[in-house]
Amino acid sequence: MTWMIIRLFLSLALIGGVLWFAARLAKKKGLGQGNGLIEVIARQRMGRTSSVNVVRIADLVLVIGATEEQVTLLAEVDPDAVEDALADRRPARARVAEAEDVEVPAPRPAPSLVAARASSDGVLVGSVLDRNGWGTLVDELRERTVRRS
């Protein structure tokens, strides 16, 4: 029994040493590190295989659409506007609306959530543990995904 524990710790020490050596070697060779020239600022999935990426390359900020088949340049964005948006952590359109003194309507909750909150009574209303809320959500999802002929 004692020898099994000793062998276990020696095996773990050997594996840890190999991982430490591999990490030092990779760091020395520069593997797994970017050179700082290209930076992905933001990424938003649009579907199962498509996404929109905001990429900074040196002083340029590009909006790129990517799918399995191709990568497309969608727009070039002002770097100062991106920095301001990142600093504020707000969508860029909200900042533009403030600059133009235009009211931006507040986002409305999804109908399934409203129905879930209105359908049940008690302490758990609106929480994850609300049984009626989950049932309503599943019914709404089922209704949206059914094929009609």
Side-chain angles (χ1 to χ4, degrees):
M1 181 71 173
T2 307
W3 282 107
M4 288 177 66
I5 294 174
I6 292 172
R7 280 183 22 192
L8 174 71
F9 282 117
L10 287 176
S11 299
L12 287 174
L14 178 67
I15 291 170
V18 168
L19 289 174
W20 178 76
F21 177 74
R24 285 194 49 138
L25 183 65
K27 189 175 185 179
K28 186 184 287 186
K29 299 258 186 200
L31 299 175
Q33 296 179 355
N35 56 6
L37 184 64
I38 299 174
E39 176 188 4
V40 177
I41 299 172
R43 178 177 293 139
Q44 178 65 46
R45 291 181 55 102
M46 303 306 285
R48 217 169 69 198
T49 60
S50 62
S51 65
V52 175
N53 305 307
V54 179
V55 179
R56 178 181 297 142
I57 301 175
D59 293 335
L60 292 174
V61 177
L62 306 172
V63 179
I64 298 173
T67 64
E68 284 184 351
E69 294 83 25
Q70 66 184 7
V71 176
T72 306
L73 176 65
L74 300 175
E76 185 174 332
V77 183
D78 181 30
D80 296 330
V82 173
E83 289 298 325
D84 292 342
L86 288 174
D88 293 344
R89 290 287 186 204
R90 291 184 294 163
R93 67 179 164 190
R95 288 185 306 99
V96 170
E98 283 179 4
E100 296 174 355
D101 293 330
V102 176
E103 272 190 40
V104 177
R108 295 184 351 200
S112 60
L113 295 177
V114 172
R117 288 188 184 133
S119 66
S120 60
D121 297 317
V123 180
L124 300 177
V125 173
S127 74
V128 179
L129 302 174
D130 184 12
R131 177 175 251 162
N132 293 334
W134 283 108
T136 306
L137 178 66
V138 169
D139 291 340
E140 286 289 323
L141 290 174
R142 191 176 295 139
E143 187 65 30
R144 288 184 185 190
T145 58
V146 69
R147 291 187 181 172
R148 303 198 197 304
S149 46

